[in-house]
Amino acid sequence: MVDFNRIIERRGTHASKWDNMAKLSGITAPDAIPMWVADMDFAAPPGVTAALTAEVERAVHGYYADTGTWAQALADWMARRHGLTIDPAWVSPTPGIVSGLGLILQAVTEPGDEVVLFPPAYHAFRKIIVANERRILDAQLVNNQGRYAMDLNALAEKLTPRTKIIFLCSPHNPGGTVWSPEELRALAAFCTERDLYLVSDEIHCDLVYKGHKHTPTLAAAPEIADRLITCVAATKTFNLAGAHVGACVTTNPALKKKLDARIGASGLGSYNGFGMIATEAGWRTGEAWLDELLVYLEANRDLFDTLIEDAAPGARSMRLDATYLAWVDFSGTGLKSTDVADRVAKRARIFASPGQQFGPGGDSWLRFNIATPRPILVEALTRLEDAFADLRSGR
Ligand SMILES: Cc1ncc(COP(=O)(O)O)c(C=O)c1O
């Protein structure tokens, strides 16, 4: 049994989640709780620690030789967990998914081209698009009684000749939506009709709760394989974000050649050995750990949803099919967004991600990372209860 209740002190360890909190949020209280960036406060699977320890003890840290074992470990994992066949020859390692997205943009679009997002959506999508001098075309998700849906008819009206590519987040961050095979096929058909590339960022695909099943876009719609790039990683799954390794996968050799040319042009064809060793070990040894993690996170999700809605009457937490990023709409509390933000930051001393970061549709929302030991989660919820106490006094 893994002890996910164990609290590991992360302050003063270059943990961005903890050590960047004051700088980014202005919350300087020594007991502040970070519930923003998407990493977990849990130790990695023991097999990862063992692989890294062996490397450290060998104490020779020269250039890493990619002998093919890494992509094979990824392929074996995807076959086992998701029933997806990946040929290692389709895989291009990148220093993380966001950098992969930037390289994809450079490979298949020009400055000024438009990239479709389905906001509210992962904020780094917006940043990497703008940083590459491409433009964002927002196709806001529709909230259908607590579950997000894509509105492809509305998107069709907005397309221009400069629209070249769609960034899909599957499962979706924030909101944790697991897209159905039908939804993915409809999107795929849309991309074919409109001659668009599709990037399917599936970094959260392993963090799916009971009753839901992730379908890789490539499996749902193999007919669009030629215009599809899937992004996957071991870093969210096994809490290895600092390893900064991801993979872009495409069956289309011409597309892969373009992407690899960009990787080469940026000098990124030689990989970070520690990251490769850690992530390969995750895929090879981390399965039992992940199964236990999912049970723990699901209990955190259930506890959080119940208590946040009790704490702040009118608040609604979107039911997560996947991810550990609780997504809470405070509009029903009757409070202004600035008041909610103030209560959470100042009274509860919690740094949650502001909903506006995620683009249109995020305004009255906050995102809370619940992947933390239960004692910390309970403390956070107790503080939130206090922060909204006056709302309950009139009940
Ligand atoms: C959807 C999504 N893609 C990518 C990333 C980050 O990936 P990386 O750290 O590999 O760039 C995150 C992190 O939260 C994410 O939520």
Side-chain angles (χ1 to χ4, degrees):
M1 281 283 284
V2 182
D3 182 11
F4 290 108
N5 282 327
R6 180 162 72 100
I7 295 176
I8 301 168
E9 179 59 62
R10 298 186 69 198
R11 291 184 192 91
T13 66
H14 299 283
S16 180
K17 189 179 184 183
W18 292 81
D19 291 335
N20 277 334
M21 178 164 44
K23 188 169 77 188
L24 297 179
S25 68
I27 307 170
T28 52
D31 64 349
I33 299 178
M35 301 183 84
W36 61 293
V37 69
D39 72 32
M40 306 191 267
D41 295 318
F42 307 128
V48 171
T49 306
L52 286 173
T53 303
E55 175 67 12
V56 167
E57 285 178 351
R58 208 174 298 116
V60 186
H61 308 300
Y63 288 111
Y64 175 84
D66 183 9
T67 55
T69 59
W70 187 83
Q72 190 58 54
L74 162 63
D76 293 347
W77 177 264
M78 293 306 285
R80 248 187 357 264
R81 295 293 290 196
H82 302 289
L84 181 70
T85 302
I86 288 182
D87 180 338
W90 303 341
V91 175
S92 301
T94 53
I97 299 300
V98 174
S99 61
L101 296 174
L103 293 160
I104 292 168
L105 288 179
Q106 292 160 26
V108 301
T109 67
E110 299 292 329
D113 281 349
E114 291 166 349
V115 184
V116 175
L117 295 184
F118 294 106
Y122 175 49
H123 52 90
F125 285 176
R126 309 185 83 75
K127 283 198 189 153
I128 198 78
I129 293 167
V130 171
N132 278 280
E133 295 168 0
R134 275 64 170 169
R135 288 182 293 157
I136 299 167
L137 200 167
D138 278 316
Q140 195 178 326
L141 293 170
V142 179
N143 185 347
N144 274 341
Q145 293 172 346
R147 184 183 186 277
Y148 279 136
M150 293 177 250
D151 184 348
L152 296 180
N153 292 328
L155 172 59
E157 309 260 294
K158 292 185 167 183
L159 295 189
T160 78
R162 296 304 300 266
T163 317
K164 296 290 162 55
I165 189 165
I166 295 182
F167 282 180
L168 173 72
C169 191
S170 177
H172 194 70
N173 166 21
T177 320
V178 167
W179 303 113
S180 70
E182 294 70 31
E183 286 169 316
L184 294 168
R185 273 195 286 275
L187 179 64
F190 185 92
C191 291
T192 306
E193 275 161 32
R194 311 287 168 153
D195 191 21
L196 300 171
Y197 286 106
L198 179 59
V199 174
S200 188
D201 176 349
E202 302 183 15
I203 194 170
H204 294 283
C205 71
D206 295 316
L207 300 167
V208 172
Y209 299 120
K210 246 195 335 269
H212 302 279
K213 189 177 175 336
H214 169 76
T215 308
T217 303
L218 181 58
E223 64 279 8
I224 67 145
D226 267 1
R227 56 177 72 247
L228 175 67
I229 301 179
T230 303
C231 298
V232 280
T235 47
K236 284 283 171 271
T237 311
F238 303 113
N239 203 28
L240 305 171
H244 261 296
V245 180
C248 296
V249 182
T250 180
T251 66
N252 177 339
L255 187 52
K256 183 169 190 299
K257 200 168 160 196
K258 281 189 193 167
L259 177 60
D260 287 345
R262 297 313 313 165
I263 291 172
S266 304
L268 298 172
S270 172
Y271 311 127
N272 174 329
F274 289 101
M276 298 297 273
I277 288 166
T279 50
E280 178 172 340
W283 285 321
R284 292 197 185 282
T285 70
E287 195 156 12
W289 179 93
L290 173 63
D291 287 335
E292 283 190 50
L293 171 77
L294 288 172
V295 172
Y296 191 87
L297 287 179
E298 194 168 320
N300 271 12
R301 174 198 64 176
D302 293 347
L303 181 72
F304 180 87
D305 283 357
T306 307
L307 294 188
I308 191 75
E309 294 189 2
D310 275 358
R316 285 283 163 274
S317 185
M318 192 168 262
R319 188 74 180 158
L320 298 176
D321 307 341
T323 81
Y324 49 74
L325 303 164
W327 182 232
V328 184
D329 180 11
F330 286 89
S331 59
T333 60
L335 299 172
K336 285 201 194 117
S337 298
T338 45
D339 188 4
V340 172
D342 250 33
R343 286 166 182 253
V344 172
K346 294 193 179 136
R347 291 197 201 169
R349 306 176 306 287
I350 288 173
F351 183 23
S353 299
Q356 304 92 289
Q357 255 185 14
F358 301 88
D363 267 359
S364 57
W365 299 69
L366 288 177
R367 196 191 72 175
F368 295 85
N369 179 342
I370 56 166
T372 196
R374 197 137 322 129
I376 296 180
L377 184 68
V378 167
E379 169 64 19
L381 284 160
T382 307
R383 291 189 200 175
L384 289 166
E385 210 172 33
D386 291 346
F388 293 97
D390 54 314
L391 298 191
R392 298 189 306 276
S393 61
R395 266 179 172 177

Tab-separated table of all heavy atoms in Angstrom, residues 11 18 21 27-35 307-308 311-312 340 342-351 368 375-390 392:
chain	number	residue	atom	x	y	z
A	11	ARG	N	8.539	22.909	0.750
A	11	ARG	CA	9.032	24.290	0.778
A	11	ARG	C	10.549	24.272	0.791
A	11	ARG	O	11.167	23.447	1.462
A	11	ARG	CB	8.547	25.008	2.048
A	11	ARG	CG	7.055	25.284	2.086
A	11	ARG	CD	6.739	26.096	3.349
A	11	ARG	NE	5.319	26.148	3.594
A	11	ARG	CZ	4.643	25.274	4.338
A	11	ARG	NH1	5.269	24.253	4.908
A	11	ARG	NH2	3.347	25.403	4.507
A	18	TRP	N	5.107	25.397	-4.426
A	18	TRP	CA	5.242	25.980	-3.090
A	18	TRP	C	6.144	27.212	-3.106
A	18	TRP	O	5.822	28.233	-2.502
A	18	TRP	CB	5.817	24.926	-2.121
A	18	TRP	CG	4.860	23.799	-1.857
A	18	TRP	CD1	4.646	22.707	-2.665
A	18	TRP	CD2	3.957	23.665	-0.761
A	18	TRP	NE1	3.679	21.906	-2.119
A	18	TRP	CE2	3.240	22.455	-0.946
A	18	TRP	CE3	3.691	24.432	0.377
A	18	TRP	CZ2	2.261	22.013	-0.044
A	18	TRP	CZ3	2.728	23.982	1.286
A	18	TRP	CH2	2.022	22.788	1.069
A	21	MET	N	4.868	30.416	-4.963
A	21	MET	CA	3.506	30.834	-4.599
A	21	MET	C	3.444	32.314	-4.197
A	21	MET	O	2.615	33.068	-4.716
A	21	MET	CB	3.008	29.943	-3.455
A	21	MET	CG	1.636	30.300	-2.953
A	21	MET	SD	0.912	28.990	-1.951
A	21	MET	CE	2.250	28.473	-0.901
A	27	ILE	N	0.424	35.911	-1.903
A	27	ILE	CA	0.021	35.332	-0.607
A	27	ILE	C	1.307	34.959	0.139
A	27	ILE	O	1.995	34.009	-0.249
A	27	ILE	CB	-0.860	34.076	-0.799
A	27	ILE	CG1	-2.040	34.382	-1.716
A	27	ILE	CG2	-1.344	33.540	0.550
A	27	ILE	CD1	-2.830	33.147	-2.148
A	28	THR	N	1.602	35.720	1.177
A	28	THR	CA	2.893	35.530	1.841
A	28	THR	C	2.780	34.787	3.173
A	28	THR	O	3.799	34.519	3.811
A	28	THR	CB	3.565	36.894	2.096
A	28	THR	OG1	2.615	37.717	2.771
A	28	THR	CG2	3.996	37.570	0.802
A	29	ALA	N	1.556	34.453	3.587
A	29	ALA	CA	1.391	33.771	4.879
A	29	ALA	C	2.232	32.495	4.887
A	29	ALA	O	2.244	31.751	3.901
A	29	ALA	CB	-0.080	33.424	5.085
A	30	PRO	N	2.940	32.239	5.990
A	30	PRO	CA	3.817	31.056	6.015
A	30	PRO	C	3.038	29.745	5.923
A	30	PRO	O	3.603	28.722	5.532
A	30	PRO	CB	4.549	31.174	7.361
A	30	PRO	CG	3.833	32.228	8.140
A	30	PRO	CD	3.053	33.079	7.189
A	31	ASP	N	1.741	29.801	6.279
A	31	ASP	CA	0.961	28.552	6.219
A	31	ASP	C	0.081	28.476	4.963
A	31	ASP	O	-0.868	27.696	4.903
A	31	ASP	CB	0.088	28.409	7.466
A	31	ASP	CG	-0.967	29.507	7.563
A	31	ASP	OD1	-0.892	30.493	6.772
A	31	ASP	OD2	-1.879	29.382	8.403
A	32	ALA	N	0.424	29.279	3.935
A	32	ALA	CA	-0.389	29.272	2.704
A	32	ALA	C	-0.372	27.891	2.047
A	32	ALA	O	0.617	27.164	2.136
A	32	ALA	CB	0.149	30.317	1.733
A	33	ILE	N	-1.494	27.560	1.405
A	33	ILE	CA	-1.609	26.247	0.752
A	33	ILE	C	-1.713	26.463	-0.767
A	33	ILE	O	-2.616	27.152	-1.236
A	33	ILE	CB	-2.855	25.478	1.257
A	33	ILE	CG1	-2.752	25.241	2.767
A	33	ILE	CG2	-3.006	24.155	0.513
A	33	ILE	CD1	-3.959	24.522	3.375
A	34	PRO	N	-0.793	25.844	-1.528
A	34	PRO	CA	-0.841	26.017	-2.983
A	34	PRO	C	-1.775	24.990	-3.618
A	34	PRO	O	-1.586	23.781	-3.468
A	34	PRO	CB	0.607	25.768	-3.408
A	34	PRO	CG	1.154	24.828	-2.388
A	34	PRO	CD	0.378	25.046	-1.110
A	35	MET	N	-2.780	25.492	-4.351
A	35	MET	CA	-3.699	24.573	-5.047
A	35	MET	C	-3.794	25.006	-6.506
A	35	MET	O	-4.855	24.981	-7.111
A	35	MET	CB	-5.064	24.570	-4.349
A	35	MET	CG	-4.980	24.138	-2.893
A	35	MET	SD	-6.574	24.038	-2.044
A	35	MET	CE	-7.121	22.391	-2.514
A	307	LEU	N	-17.671	19.189	0.278
A	307	LEU	CA	-17.412	20.228	1.277
A	307	LEU	C	-17.382	21.626	0.676
A	307	LEU	O	-17.799	22.586	1.322
A	307	LEU	CB	-16.125	19.919	2.050
A	307	LEU	CG	-16.204	18.651	2.919
A	307	LEU	CD1	-14.978	18.523	3.803
A	307	LEU	CD2	-17.457	18.616	3.802
A	308	ILE	N	-16.913	21.767	-0.554
A	308	ILE	CA	-16.859	23.126	-1.126
A	308	ILE	C	-18.286	23.634	-1.363
A	308	ILE	O	-18.584	24.812	-1.157
A	308	ILE	CB	-16.000	23.186	-2.421
A	308	ILE	CG1	-15.743	24.637	-2.836
A	308	ILE	CG2	-16.643	22.498	-3.605
A	308	ILE	CD1	-14.749	25.357	-2.012
A	311	ALA	N	-19.573	24.589	1.946
A	311	ALA	CA	-18.879	25.756	2.510
A	311	ALA	C	-19.392	27.050	1.896
A	311	ALA	O	-19.599	28.040	2.602
A	311	ALA	CB	-17.370	25.634	2.272
A	312	ALA	N	-19.562	27.055	0.581
A	312	ALA	CA	-19.969	28.281	-0.125
A	312	ALA	C	-21.285	28.005	-0.849
A	312	ALA	O	-21.272	27.562	-1.998
A	312	ALA	CB	-18.877	28.689	-1.111
A	340	VAL	N	-14.711	36.724	-4.240
A	340	VAL	CA	-14.401	35.297	-4.062
A	340	VAL	C	-12.875	35.116	-4.017
A	340	VAL	O	-12.334	34.460	-3.115
A	340	VAL	CB	-15.002	34.454	-5.216
A	340	VAL	CG1	-14.507	33.009	-5.134
A	340	VAL	CG2	-16.527	34.514	-5.193
A	342	ASP	N	-10.586	37.211	-3.240
A	342	ASP	CA	-10.050	37.783	-2.005
A	342	ASP	C	-10.242	36.851	-0.805
A	342	ASP	O	-9.342	36.690	0.019
A	342	ASP	CB	-10.812	39.077	-1.702
A	342	ASP	CG	-9.920	40.269	-1.913
A	342	ASP	OD1	-9.062	40.187	-2.811
A	342	ASP	OD2	-10.095	41.253	-1.160
A	343	ARG	N	-11.427	36.305	-0.734
A	343	ARG	CA	-11.711	35.402	0.398
A	343	ARG	C	-10.779	34.187	0.360
A	343	ARG	O	-10.255	33.747	1.383
A	343	ARG	CB	-13.169	34.914	0.334
A	343	ARG	CG	-14.176	35.972	0.725
A	343	ARG	CD	-15.574	35.550	0.304
A	343	ARG	NE	-16.561	36.574	0.632
A	343	ARG	CZ	-17.457	36.480	1.626
A	343	ARG	NH1	-17.526	35.398	2.363
A	343	ARG	NH2	-18.305	37.462	1.861
A	344	VAL	N	-10.608	33.633	-0.854
A	344	VAL	CA	-9.785	32.429	-0.977
A	344	VAL	C	-8.314	32.762	-0.689
A	344	VAL	O	-7.638	32.052	0.052
A	344	VAL	CB	-9.978	31.794	-2.377
A	344	VAL	CG1	-8.993	30.651	-2.604
A	344	VAL	CG2	-11.422	31.302	-2.536
A	345	ALA	N	-7.842	33.875	-1.252
A	345	ALA	CA	-6.423	34.211	-1.096
A	345	ALA	C	-6.130	34.762	0.294
A	345	ALA	O	-5.143	34.380	0.929
A	345	ALA	CB	-6.015	35.231	-2.154
A	346	LYS	N	-7.005	35.689	0.761
A	346	LYS	CA	-6.644	36.398	1.999
A	346	LYS	C	-7.173	35.677	3.238
A	346	LYS	O	-6.449	35.498	4.206
A	346	LYS	CB	-7.171	37.831	1.953
A	346	LYS	CG	-6.458	38.611	0.851
A	346	LYS	CD	-6.686	40.101	0.939
A	346	LYS	CE	-5.923	40.811	-0.173
A	346	LYS	NZ	-6.698	41.846	-0.826
A	347	ARG	N	-8.452	35.279	3.202
A	347	ARG	CA	-8.980	34.635	4.415
A	347	ARG	C	-8.489	33.187	4.523
A	347	ARG	O	-8.078	32.737	5.576
A	347	ARG	CB	-10.510	34.636	4.386
A	347	ARG	CG	-11.109	36.020	4.547
A	347	ARG	CD	-12.579	35.908	4.922
A	347	ARG	NE	-13.280	37.141	4.610
A	347	ARG	CZ	-14.593	37.274	4.625
A	347	ARG	NH1	-15.363	36.245	4.941
A	347	ARG	NH2	-15.163	38.424	4.330
A	348	ALA	N	-8.582	32.447	3.381
A	348	ALA	CA	-8.229	31.019	3.472
A	348	ALA	C	-6.733	30.776	3.238
A	348	ALA	O	-6.237	29.684	3.502
A	348	ALA	CB	-9.054	30.229	2.468
A	349	ARG	N	-6.039	31.786	2.729
A	349	ARG	CA	-4.602	31.658	2.434
A	349	ARG	C	-4.339	30.460	1.510
A	349	ARG	O	-3.483	29.610	1.758
A	349	ARG	CB	-3.787	31.568	3.736
A	349	ARG	CG	-4.114	32.746	4.647
A	349	ARG	CD	-3.452	32.700	5.972
A	349	ARG	NE	-3.634	31.512	6.777
A	349	ARG	CZ	-4.771	31.185	7.417
A	349	ARG	NH1	-5.847	31.952	7.358
A	349	ARG	NH2	-4.832	30.076	8.147
A	350	ILE	N	-5.142	30.442	0.462
A	350	ILE	CA	-5.027	29.373	-0.538
A	350	ILE	C	-4.790	30.014	-1.897
A	350	ILE	O	-5.474	30.975	-2.261
A	350	ILE	CB	-6.335	28.541	-0.575
A	350	ILE	CG1	-6.445	27.692	0.687
A	350	ILE	CG2	-6.382	27.658	-1.822
A	350	ILE	CD1	-7.774	26.972	0.824
A	351	PHE	N	-3.819	29.496	-2.614
A	351	PHE	CA	-3.592	29.964	-3.989
A	351	PHE	C	-4.249	28.964	-4.942
A	351	PHE	O	-3.757	27.852	-5.139
A	351	PHE	CB	-2.091	30.080	-4.260
A	351	PHE	CG	-1.754	30.623	-5.638
A	351	PHE	CD1	-2.649	31.402	-6.366
A	351	PHE	CD2	-0.503	30.358	-6.203
A	351	PHE	CE1	-2.322	31.903	-7.629
A	351	PHE	CE2	-0.163	30.855	-7.464
A	351	PHE	CZ	-1.075	31.625	-8.178
A	368	PHE	N	-8.919	24.366	-8.406
A	368	PHE	CA	-8.200	23.901	-7.210
A	368	PHE	C	-7.535	22.555	-7.494
A	368	PHE	O	-8.223	21.586	-7.843
A	368	PHE	CB	-9.170	23.688	-6.045
A	368	PHE	CG	-9.842	24.934	-5.539
A	368	PHE	CD1	-11.000	25.422	-6.138
A	368	PHE	CD2	-9.335	25.613	-4.437
A	368	PHE	CE1	-11.638	26.561	-5.657
A	368	PHE	CE2	-9.964	26.752	-3.943
A	368	PHE	CZ	-11.113	27.229	-4.551
A	375	PRO	N	-4.725	15.258	4.847
A	375	PRO	CA	-4.691	16.259	5.930
A	375	PRO	C	-4.572	17.694	5.383
A	375	PRO	O	-5.163	18.622	5.942
A	375	PRO	CB	-3.450	15.873	6.744
A	375	PRO	CG	-3.244	14.417	6.450
A	375	PRO	CD	-3.718	14.194	5.035
A	376	ILE	N	-3.833	17.877	4.308
A	376	ILE	CA	-3.695	19.226	3.732
A	376	ILE	C	-5.013	19.628	3.068
A	376	ILE	O	-5.488	20.763	3.200
A	376	ILE	CB	-2.517	19.280	2.732
A	376	ILE	CG1	-1.201	19.009	3.459
A	376	ILE	CG2	-2.471	20.630	2.008
A	376	ILE	CD1	0.051	19.033	2.584
A	377	LEU	N	-5.633	18.681	2.366
A	377	LEU	CA	-6.907	18.983	1.705
A	377	LEU	C	-7.974	19.358	2.741
A	377	LEU	O	-8.729	20.320	2.561
A	377	LEU	CB	-7.368	17.767	0.878
A	377	LEU	CG	-8.637	17.992	0.067
A	377	LEU	CD1	-8.389	18.998	-1.049
A	377	LEU	CD2	-9.149	16.675	-0.523
A	378	VAL	N	-7.994	18.620	3.840
A	378	VAL	CA	-8.991	18.886	4.882
A	378	VAL	C	-8.747	20.266	5.500
A	378	VAL	O	-9.688	21.043	5.730
A	378	VAL	CB	-8.977	17.763	5.954
A	378	VAL	CG1	-9.762	18.151	7.188
A	378	VAL	CG2	-9.513	16.467	5.349
A	379	GLU	N	-7.484	20.595	5.725
A	379	GLU	CA	-7.161	21.919	6.264
A	379	GLU	C	-7.628	23.010	5.291
A	379	GLU	O	-8.219	24.019	5.699
A	379	GLU	CB	-5.638	22.006	6.514
A	379	GLU	CG	-5.097	23.392	6.821
A	379	GLU	CD	-5.621	24.004	8.131
A	379	GLU	OE1	-6.112	23.239	8.986
A	379	GLU	OE2	-5.567	25.257	8.266
A	380	ALA	N	-7.391	22.792	4.008
A	380	ALA	CA	-7.809	23.785	2.998
A	380	ALA	C	-9.330	23.942	3.031
A	380	ALA	O	-9.850	25.068	3.004
A	380	ALA	CB	-7.343	23.349	1.610
A	381	LEU	N	-10.024	22.840	3.124
A	381	LEU	CA	-11.488	22.907	3.110
A	381	LEU	C	-12.031	23.568	4.380
A	381	LEU	O	-13.022	24.306	4.343
A	381	LEU	CB	-12.071	21.500	2.921
A	381	LEU	CG	-11.944	20.998	1.466
A	381	LEU	CD1	-12.051	19.479	1.389
A	381	LEU	CD2	-13.000	21.648	0.574
A	382	THR	N	-11.354	23.338	5.494
A	382	THR	CA	-11.770	23.987	6.749
A	382	THR	C	-11.615	25.500	6.623
A	382	THR	O	-12.480	26.278	7.029
A	382	THR	CB	-10.903	23.456	7.924
A	382	THR	OG1	-10.983	22.045	7.908
A	382	THR	CG2	-11.357	23.988	9.256
A	383	ARG	N	-10.510	25.913	6.014
A	383	ARG	CA	-10.296	27.353	5.840
A	383	ARG	C	-11.322	27.945	4.872
A	383	ARG	O	-11.778	29.076	5.057
A	383	ARG	CB	-8.893	27.607	5.284
A	383	ARG	CG	-7.800	27.285	6.270
A	383	ARG	CD	-6.507	27.799	5.674
A	383	ARG	NE	-5.353	27.165	6.278
A	383	ARG	CZ	-4.106	27.377	5.865
A	383	ARG	NH1	-3.877	28.186	4.853
A	383	ARG	NH2	-3.099	26.788	6.449
A	384	LEU	N	-11.672	27.193	3.835
A	384	LEU	CA	-12.666	27.704	2.885
A	384	LEU	C	-14.029	27.822	3.568
A	384	LEU	O	-14.790	28.758	3.319
A	384	LEU	CB	-12.746	26.785	1.654
A	384	LEU	CG	-11.511	26.877	0.736
A	384	LEU	CD1	-11.468	25.721	-0.256
A	384	LEU	CD2	-11.496	28.218	-0.019
A	385	GLU	N	-14.287	26.878	4.452
A	385	GLU	CA	-15.538	26.941	5.214
A	385	GLU	C	-15.592	28.251	6.015
A	385	GLU	O	-16.602	28.956	6.006
A	385	GLU	CB	-15.553	25.748	6.176
A	385	GLU	CG	-16.915	25.230	6.496
A	385	GLU	CD	-16.813	23.935	7.291
A	385	GLU	OE1	-15.861	23.770	8.098
A	385	GLU	OE2	-17.684	23.095	7.101
A	386	ASP	N	-14.481	28.584	6.646
A	386	ASP	CA	-14.417	29.834	7.425
A	386	ASP	C	-14.545	31.056	6.507
A	386	ASP	O	-15.205	32.036	6.847
A	386	ASP	CB	-13.076	29.947	8.178
A	386	ASP	CG	-12.975	28.932	9.294
A	386	ASP	OD1	-14.034	28.353	9.648
A	386	ASP	OD2	-11.865	28.701	9.790
A	387	ALA	N	-13.890	30.969	5.352
A	387	ALA	CA	-13.845	32.137	4.452
A	387	ALA	C	-15.230	32.511	3.924
A	387	ALA	O	-15.460	33.654	3.538
A	387	ALA	CB	-12.891	31.858	3.294
A	388	PHE	N	-16.137	31.536	3.882
A	388	PHE	CA	-17.480	31.811	3.353
A	388	PHE	C	-18.552	31.667	4.448
A	388	PHE	O	-19.737	31.555	4.138
A	388	PHE	CB	-17.788	30.866	2.183
A	388	PHE	CG	-16.926	31.118	0.968
A	388	PHE	CD1	-15.786	30.361	0.722
A	388	PHE	CD2	-17.248	32.141	0.079
A	388	PHE	CE1	-14.981	30.603	-0.392
A	388	PHE	CE2	-16.453	32.389	-1.040
A	388	PHE	CZ	-15.315	31.623	-1.268
A	389	ALA	N	-18.127	31.699	5.723
A	389	ALA	CA	-19.051	31.409	6.836
A	389	ALA	C	-20.273	32.318	6.810
A	389	ALA	O	-21.402	31.890	7.082
A	389	ALA	CB	-18.314	31.523	8.170
A	390	ASP	N	-20.060	33.615	6.470
A	390	ASP	CA	-21.175	34.559	6.511
A	390	ASP	C	-22.283	34.191	5.507
A	390	ASP	O	-23.448	34.489	5.728
A	390	ASP	CB	-20.676	35.989	6.219
A	390	ASP	CG	-19.901	36.072	4.934
A	390	ASP	OD1	-19.023	35.203	4.698
A	390	ASP	OD2	-20.184	36.963	4.116
A	392	ARG	N	-23.403	31.325	5.008
A	392	ARG	CA	-24.227	30.236	5.563
A	392	ARG	C	-25.065	30.696	6.751
A	392	ARG	O	-26.014	30.041	7.134
A	392	ARG	CB	-23.348	29.056	5.994
A	392	ARG	CG	-22.583	28.427	4.855
A	392	ARG	CD	-21.910	27.129	5.285
A	392	ARG	NE	-21.055	27.306	6.458
A	392	ARG	CZ	-19.796	27.733	6.437
A	392	ARG	NH1	-19.227	28.025	5.283
A	392	ARG	NH2	-19.118	27.840	7.546
